[in-house]
Amino acid sequence: METLSENRSFGGVQGVYRHRSRATGTDMTFAVFMPDLAAGERAPVLWYLSGLTCTHENAMTKAAAQHWCSEAGMAIVFPDTSPRGEGVADDKAYDLGQGAGFYVNATRDPWAPHFRMWDYVVDELPDLVTGAFAVAPDAMGITGHSMGGHGALTIAMTHPDRFRSVSAFAPIANPTESDWGQKQLGAYLGDDRAAWRAHDATILMTERGYPDEILIDQGSADQFLDKLRPESLAQAMMARRQPGQFRMQPGYDHSYFFVQTFMGDHVMWHAERLFRCLAGSS
């Protein structure tokens, strides 16, 4: 792991790092904010998955997360959204290819050799981070925005034993029925729609849900509401009687101004649950 930068931030350290990924077969860049810790202490860790076109840097600089994570005593990790570099497949459209990994393991060419973001986020990067930083592997939560909210929800519902808390900002909630989903899932996974089901939060909510509460914030003025389909997920939560909160925030759009506004709520939501995990394991 190579250190690209480290800066003092809210009493902790915001770092950017690069490593060679087994999952993607490429160099991957990610960011970690570590709060100030006492000797021997390990922090809960929140994973933040970003949306279409983003890198690790967007949320690191725009989400206003470091202040809240410092207050809570919690680390936060910002992975990239896709593999990148020479020889990595791409597309002219902004919503496919580099910057648009959709947090799946691609099975179709030309994407299959490198686009394995599910394995990268679920297994490889958590193992690297928990080995290199003073974070607790049994107190990990996950959140994300838009495409990243889709990834956070689908990963958490599939691996609730690994990700002990989950929230989302304006997630792509029903991709199998949306223009933001059908195109990408078809390209990465092929035409068999049965293979898409594992990557649709509405379907997973209907079939399995999540063992703890879920927090979702959605802006009522989001310009992409028709593509996000929040009503599908909200209905599935109600039908399942899933514990949690689905908050429609009046007047907010899809931007990072929306994410900033509610980031403190989400960090503290995760902190409450993850510190409970730490207390239970001590």
Side-chain angles (χ1 to χ4, degrees), residues 45-47 74 139-143 152 156 160 162-167 210 212-214 266 269-274 277:
V45 57
L46 177 61
W47 295 82
M74 185 162 64
M140 297 198 304
I142 192 166
T143 188
R162 191 158 177 80
F163 296 94
R164 309 294 296 275
S165 60
V166 61
S167 71
Y210 186 73
D212 201 347
E213 295 177 284
I214 289 176
H266 284 245
W269 168 279
H270 287 275
E272 178 183 351
R273 287 154 181 79
L274 296 179
C277 292

Side-chain angles (χ1 to χ4, degrees), residues 41 52 66 68 78 81 91 110 130 134 152 169 181 188 191 199 212 214 220 234-235 244 259 277:
E41 185 179 4
L52 290 168
Q66 291 87 348
W68 294 107
F78 306 102
T81 55
D91 191 273
T130 56
F169 300 86
Y188 296 142
D191 295 332
H199 301 285
D212 201 347
I214 289 176
S220 69
Q235 290 165 6
V259 174
C277 292

Side-chain angles (χ1 to χ4, degrees), residues 8-93:
R8 195 74 169 153
S9 177
F10 292 99
V13 175
Q14 176 62 66
V16 179
Y17 310 93
R18 180 166 56 210
H19 73 114
R20 187 71 179 176
S21 168
R22 298 185 307 275
T24 68
T26 65
D27 288 344
M28 295 292 290
T29 301
F30 66 98
V32 179
F33 171 77
M34 285 297 301
D36 188 31
L37 299 173
E41 185 179 4
R42 285 188 170 266
V45 57
L46 177 61
W47 295 82
Y48 181 100
L49 306 186
S50 292
L52 290 168
T53 75
C54 292
T55 69
H56 69 281
E57 188 173 16
N58 295 74
M60 181 183 77
T61 58
K62 295 180 180 179
Q66 291 87 348
H67 166 70
W68 294 107
C69 286
S70 178
E71 288 286 315
M74 185 162 64
I76 187 167
V77 182
F78 306 102
D80 203 346
T81 55
S82 78
R84 302 178 191 270
E86 186 176 351
V88 177
D90 201 6
D91 191 273
K92 292 181 180 179

Side-chain angles (χ1 to χ4, degrees), residues 184-202:
Q184 294 85 354
L185 295 176
Y188 296 142
L189 303 179
D191 295 332
D192 181 6
R193 293 176 66 96
W196 302 3
R197 296 177 63 84
H199 301 285
D200 188 305
T202 295

Side-chain angles (χ1 to χ4, degrees), residues 2-273:
E2 177 186 2
T3 300
L4 301 182
S5 65
E6 289 185 333
N7 299 95
R8 195 74 169 153
S9 177
F10 292 99
V13 175
Q14 176 62 66
V16 179
Y17 310 93
R18 180 166 56 210
H19 73 114
R20 187 71 179 176
S21 168
R22 298 185 307 275
T24 68
T26 65
D27 288 344
M28 295 292 290
T29 301
F30 66 98
V32 179
F33 171 77
M34 285 297 301
D36 188 31
L37 299 173
E41 185 179 4
R42 285 188 170 266
V45 57
L46 177 61
W47 295 82
Y48 181 100
L49 306 186
S50 292
L52 290 168
T53 75
C54 292
T55 69
H56 69 281
E57 188 173 16
N58 295 74
M60 181 183 77
T61 58
K62 295 180 180 179
Q66 291 87 348
H67 166 70
W68 294 107
C69 286
S70 178
E71 288 286 315
M74 185 162 64
I76 187 167
V77 182
F78 306 102
D80 203 346
T81 55
S82 78
R84 302 178 191 270
E86 186 176 351
V88 177
D90 201 6
D91 191 273
K92 292 181 180 179
Y94 76 95
D95 57 355
L96 187 67
Q98 295 187 36
F102 236 73
Y103 304 103
V104 303
N105 288 336
T107 58
R108 301 292 179 172
D109 289 333
W111 315 105
H114 300 294
F115 280 72
R116 302 191 62 80
M117 291 302 294
W118 180 277
D119 283 352
Y120 181 69
V121 170
V122 171
D123 294 315
E124 183 180 8
L125 192 56
D127 289 348
L128 175 65
V129 168
T130 56
F133 297 89
V135 298
D138 53 350
M140 297 198 304
I142 192 166
T143 188
H145 174 231
S146 193
M147 179 184 74
H150 139 80
L153 291 170
T154 56
I155 287 170
M157 281 190 277
T158 305
H159 296 284
D161 55 334
R162 191 158 177 80
F163 296 94
R164 309 294 296 275
S165 60
V166 61
S167 71
F169 300 86
I172 300 174
N174 191 198
T176 62
E177 301 298 332
S178 168
D179 290 343
W180 272 357
Q182 293 178 339
K183 172 183 178 179
Q184 294 85 354
L185 295 176
Y188 296 142
L189 303 179
D191 295 332
D192 181 6
R193 293 176 66 96
W196 302 3
R197 296 177 63 84
H199 301 285
D200 188 305
T202 295
I203 291 173
L204 291 179
M205 178 57 65
T206 300
E207 293 181 348
R208 64 179 70 180
Y210 186 73
D212 201 347
E213 295 177 284
I214 289 176
L215 173 62
I216 297 173
D217 275 312
Q218 171 65 62
S220 69
D222 193 314
Q223 59 270 44
F224 302 115
L225 279 173
D226 289 343
K227 294 183 177 181
L228 300 172
R229 295 179 56 84
E231 66 281 358
S232 298
L233 180 57
Q235 290 165 6
M237 290 177 66
M238 289 297 293
R240 189 177 185 82
R241 299 178 180 175
Q242 169 69 46
Q245 298 180 36
F246 195 118
R247 309 190 303 190
M248 186 65 74
Q249 301 292 358
Y252 285 92
D253 59 17
H254 200 70
S255 71
Y256 264 94
F257 295 107
F258 157 67
V259 174
Q260 287 176 10
T261 302
F262 301 103
M263 178 58 72
D265 289 356
H266 284 245
V267 168
M268 295 307 173
W269 168 279
H270 287 275
E272 178 183 351
R273 287 154 181 79

